[in-house]
Amino acid sequence: MTDAGGTRLHRQLGLAALTFISLGSVIGSGWLLGALTAAQAAGPASVVSWAIAGALVALLALVYAELGAAYPVAGGTARYPRLVLGPLGGFVAGWVAWIPAVALAPLEVEAALSYLDHGFPGLVDNDGTLTRGGLVLAAAAMVVFTVVNLLGVRWLARTNTVTVVWKVLVPIITIVALTAVAFHPANFTAGGGFAPAGAKGVFAALPAGVVFSLQGFEQAVQMGAEAKRPRRDIPRAIIVATLAGTVLYFLLQVAFIATLDPARLVGGWAQPLGAGDYGPYATLATDLGLGWLATLLYLDAVVSPGGTALIYVGTSARLSYSLARTRGLPAALARLDRRGVPIVSVLLAAAVGMVVLLPFPSWQNLVRLISSATFVMYGFAPVCLAVLRRADPDRLRPYRLPAARILAPVAFAAANMIVYWSGWRTNQKLFLTIAVGLAVFGGYRATRPATERPDLEWRAAWWLAPWLGGLAVISWLGQFGGRGVIPFWVDLVIVAAFSGVVFAAAVHAVLPTGTQRRLGEIEEIGEIGAVQVSGLTREK
């Protein structure tokens, strides 16, 4: 893929590197903190939350597996909607993808310092925000991540491979060590029974750190233009990372519940470790006399979130690069250096990350906003899959989503359910953030000459307003932080039915001719890395 200056994103990533990029994104601060926040919301039934999340995320991952293999472009989560919906719809999707991606690196750094504060007090305040000393350390970490990304994708892949091996081994060691020393089956019915908050608590736990922990599988898609064999390796990387992450997190939740001191659960699950404790597994290890494990966990509190932050600085840069390539943001963000690094986009990700480090709400609160935004982004993918199958039927698809006519709308509904469960207090901030993005888009567009303003293609994107507006209304009237007007269970039926109607309207609204034209444009400049021969597609 060549930019205006003639520099190309380099295809250097193999299957192992792509798998580690996705798996390294999945295993971050979520494994250190997610079990605690899930247990606080749902008690022992939090294991059900992980199973539900795994199923929903796996379905969306399979959608991305087909898209990533068939269309290996940089910043794929932003580019697929641009291919299908045109400039306006593509920008909205790209914006909701970029916001959580650029916020995740500093959030992971904050999570690491929150965990370390348990053993080295003075890094975070009681409300979870960083102290002055914590801010200095966090800023230094962001500088390191930025430098590694500026050195090129090969450095990023090599550094990430080392950290991912560590990030997988430490959770496995933790599960084995904790359950070997203490396992209390009675904990699964303590503190109010298996599901003290009922089914509502199970669903409320999903955006409280559960789905946040499992997201990130799509990072192999973001690096699609830098994959050596994208059609073979991208779907494999996505599927392996999703399955491995789901199994690991489920077992970690079981270990956390089973090894808690039963005396701590007499009063329920609100504070199973005590107020202000952000280091659940380290606390358990210390209580059980496993000092060596606690030390290992404090080391991992640097490596796991740090490795994820390293990836997200790079992938958020690919998203802003992609938005610039499609003229949604200034062209400078698409500038590549001689190593094929989108240097301005990397620096922008670092600058925004520094701002996010300021005293915003704690990890537990911010993950809800990031989860909600991410699943709005995921919601575009099933629509894109349905449209691209119709508009581009002859393309080679090494992986095909089975029963796509059924599973694609179900995946769209799954994404909407996660957004709804995030709650109105979170979603009102999300919709405000989308409005800010549209203002940025409109302001930049107004500065461009009329000849450089592509048609917005309203007809393909009109359904975005009732989709996002309808989600806002349902969230406001619903049971999760809303007014409680819609009864529980009825609200879930409404979200499912609403999703089906919107999905059908979206697929019907999109014009295949516009999609085919944009596919032709990216084929011509070699972005997909494939050529058409006699109606078939072969990899270059």
Side-chain angles (χ1 to χ4, degrees):
M1 184 193 321
T2 307
D3 76 341
T7 306
R8 182 179 294 269
L9 285 172
H10 301 155
R11 292 195 177 276
Q12 306 176 61
L13 303 178
L15 175 60
L18 290 168
T19 302
F20 284 162
I21 284 173
S22 280
L23 186 57
S25 300
V26 171
I27 304 176
S29 62
W31 97 262
L32 293 168
L33 301 171
L36 173 61
T37 55
Q40 289 173 322
S46 52
V47 294
V48 178
S49 302
W50 287 102
I52 293 173
L56 298 181
V57 170
L59 180 58
L60 289 159
L62 293 178
V63 172
Y64 274 108
E66 176 171 334
L67 290 172
Y71 307 96
V73 296
T77 56
R79 294 301 292 279
Y80 306 144
R82 174 64 170 71
L83 283 174
V84 169
L85 304 176
L88 178 59
F91 178 83
V92 173
W95 181 260
V96 296
W98 184 74
I99 289 297
V102 79
L104 262 162
L107 186 63
E108 292 292 305
V109 173
E110 182 177 350
L113 295 178
S114 297
Y115 210 91
L116 290 173
D117 185 73
H118 182 75
F120 308 95
L123 299 176
V124 298
D125 289 324
N126 290 333
D127 62 358
T129 57
L130 298 176
T131 64
R132 184 175 299 177
L135 280 171
V136 171
L137 287 176
M142 288 297 297
V143 169
V144 172
F145 302 146
T146 302
V147 170
V148 172
N149 274 277
L150 290 175
L151 290 173
V153 70
R154 184 171 295 172
W155 272 83
L156 174 62
R158 288 174 178 173
T159 306
N160 181 63
T161 298
V162 174
T163 59
V164 171
V165 172
W166 169 282
K167 289 164 69 172
V168 172
L169 286 177
V170 173
I172 293 174
I173 292 171
T174 300
I175 293 168
V176 173
L178 290 179
T179 55
V181 174
F183 196 94
H184 306 290
N187 284 358
F188 287 91
T189 54
F194 177 70
K200 185 176 179 181
V202 172
F203 296 134
L206 294 175
V210 175
V211 293
F212 169 81
S213 301
L214 290 174
Q215 68 190 41
F217 61 84
E218 77 284 356
Q219 296 313 310
V221 172
Q222 313 294 35
M223 297 291 189
E226 292 154 282
K228 292 179 183 177
R229 298 171 296 275
R231 287 181 162 75
R232 187 194 74 175
D233 293 345
I234 289 178
R236 294 180 182 182
I238 292 172
I239 293 169
V240 170
T242 302
L243 292 177
T246 299
V247 171
L248 189 62
Y249 278 118
F250 181 86
L251 294 176
L252 281 164
Q253 187 71 52
V254 171
F256 175 76
I257 294 171
T259 53
L260 282 168
D261 182 352
R264 293 181 180 269
L265 305 177
V266 174
W269 290 87
Q271 294 180 352
L273 292 178
D277 193 332
Y278 299 108
Y281 291 108
T283 298
L284 289 174
T286 301
D287 289 348
L288 295 173
L290 300 174
W292 63 270
L293 180 59
T295 301
L296 186 65
L297 288 167
Y298 287 130
L299 289 173
D300 188 66
V302 175
V303 176
S304 282
T308 303
L310 178 69
I311 295 169
Y312 271 98
V313 170
T315 54
S316 62
R318 270 68 181 177
L319 285 166
S320 55
Y321 165 89
S322 178
L323 287 171
R325 283 297 301 265
T326 54
R327 293 183 288 180
L329 291 176
L333 292 170
R335 186 174 302 154
L336 302 176
D337 68 6
R338 61 182 178 81
R339 292 178 296 271
V341 176
I343 184 169
V344 179
S345 283
V346 170
L347 294 175
L348 175 65
V352 174
M354 293 293 187
V355 174
V356 177
L357 287 174
L358 296 175
F360 284 99
S362 63
W363 187 91
Q364 290 90 335
N365 292 318
L366 277 175
V367 294
R368 291 181 179 272
L369 178 60
I370 289 177
S371 297
S372 188
T374 301
F375 277 83
V376 169
M377 174 194 78
Y378 287 164
F380 282 93
V383 174
C384 292
L385 177 65
V387 173
L388 287 169
R389 279 206 179 182
R390 182 180 64 179
D392 193 21
D394 294 330
R395 180 166 299 278
L396 177 66
R397 299 174 187 273
Y399 172 80
R400 294 179 66 91
L401 176 70
R405 290 187 178 183
I406 298 173
L407 293 184
V410 170
F412 182 72
N416 289 332
M417 286 289 186
I418 298 295
V419 175
Y420 172 66
W421 290 327
S422 296
W424 171 241
R425 294 186 185 90
T426 296
N427 288 332
Q428 61 183 322
K429 299 181 181 69
L430 169 63
F431 296 123
L432 176 61
T433 301
I434 294 174
V436 169
L438 288 172
V440 170
F441 177 70
Y444 174 67
R445 182 179 170 86
T447 66
R448 311 305 300 161
T451 56
E452 296 182 17
R453 300 178 197 168
D455 180 55
L456 292 178
E457 301 187 37
W458 291 94
R459 187 174 173 183
W462 69 265
W463 60 275
L464 294 178
W467 174 34
L468 298 176
L471 277 179
V473 171
I474 296 172
S475 182
W476 178 57
L477 295 175
Q479 292 289 324
F480 294 83
R483 298 177 65 85
V485 174
I486 306 175
F488 185 62
W489 292 117
V490 174
D491 54 351
L492 304 187
V493 174
I494 289 176
V495 173
F498 170 76
S499 299
V501 171
V502 171
F503 183 86
V507 174
H508 179 74
V510 177
L511 296 175
T513 53
T515 301
Q516 290 167 350
R517 184 186 69 254
R518 284 184 288 274
L519 281 168
E521 291 170 356
I522 63 174
E523 291 281 9
E524 288 174 8
I525 61 176
E527 280 196 86
I528 289 183
V531 292
Q532 295 284 355
V533 179
S534 302
L536 298 177
T537 304
R538 74 183 184 196
E539 195 165 339
K540 284 185 177 177

